[in-house]
Amino acid sequence: MKEPVIICEGPLDADVFESIQAAVRYIEPVDVADGIFTGYDSEGRLLEIFLTDPTKPLYGRDINITIKDAEKVPSHQGELICVLRHFLKSVQKKPVSDKQVDAMSLAELVDEALKYKTD
């Protein structure tokens, strides 16, 4: 897995995290249990997001979330490119135009999206 990671709630609602640890601290176990997240690493590798111990309460301060590779070879680059293009086009104060976003490679999209990371 190559950081940063992108966690999506729905098809185009994304949060960009500098690290797995930042993502785990931010997302809520109840949402993980509901299966609402899709995750990608920066190379387009699908990530598996699950409760480490499903018997633990879904609310509280215990971190009970694991994020790991769901595939060895990245095969979701196209999906991630669509997510990141939508994400960057929806940023309020855009430093780049929509046309520039459409021309960016996956690596460039990830670098640009990281400027708007979730802490």
Side-chain angles (χ1 to χ4, degrees), residues 61-82:
R61 296 187 103 16
D62 289 342
I63 294 178
N64 185 28
I65 298 167
T66 299
I67 300 175
K68 68 176 195 172
D69 293 340
E71 57 189 11
K72 290 182 181 182
V73 177
S75 66
H76 291 78
Q77 297 95 334
E79 288 174 26
L80 182 55
I81 286 169
C82 289

Side-chain angles (χ1 to χ4, degrees), residues 19-88:
S19 68
I20 290 291
Q21 294 81 9
V24 165
R25 284 191 305 269
Y26 183 81
I27 60 179
E28 296 181 13
V30 68
D31 294 331
V32 172
D34 288 343
I36 66 170
F37 296 118
T38 303
Y40 306 93
D41 77 354
S42 64
E43 296 178 326
R45 185 175 287 107
L46 190 65
L47 302 177
E48 183 180 2
I49 305 167
F50 60 94
L51 296 176
T52 308
D53 181 355
T55 64
K56 281 189 174 182
L58 296 179
Y59 300 95
R61 296 187 103 16
D62 289 342
I63 294 178
N64 185 28
I65 298 167
T66 299
I67 300 175
K68 68 176 195 172
D69 293 340
E71 57 189 11
K72 290 182 181 182
V73 177
S75 66
H76 291 78
Q77 297 95 334
E79 288 174 26
L80 182 55
I81 286 169
C82 289
V83 166
L84 291 175
R85 283 181 178 158
H86 182 269
F87 174 78
L88 289 170

Side-chain angles (χ1 to χ4, degrees), residues 86-103:
H86 182 269
F87 174 78
L88 289 170
K89 289 176 181 181
S90 67
V91 171
Q92 297 269 323
K93 298 178 181 176
K94 296 185 261 187
V96 294
S97 70
D98 288 356
K99 188 175 180 179
Q100 289 170 306
V101 168
D102 286 338

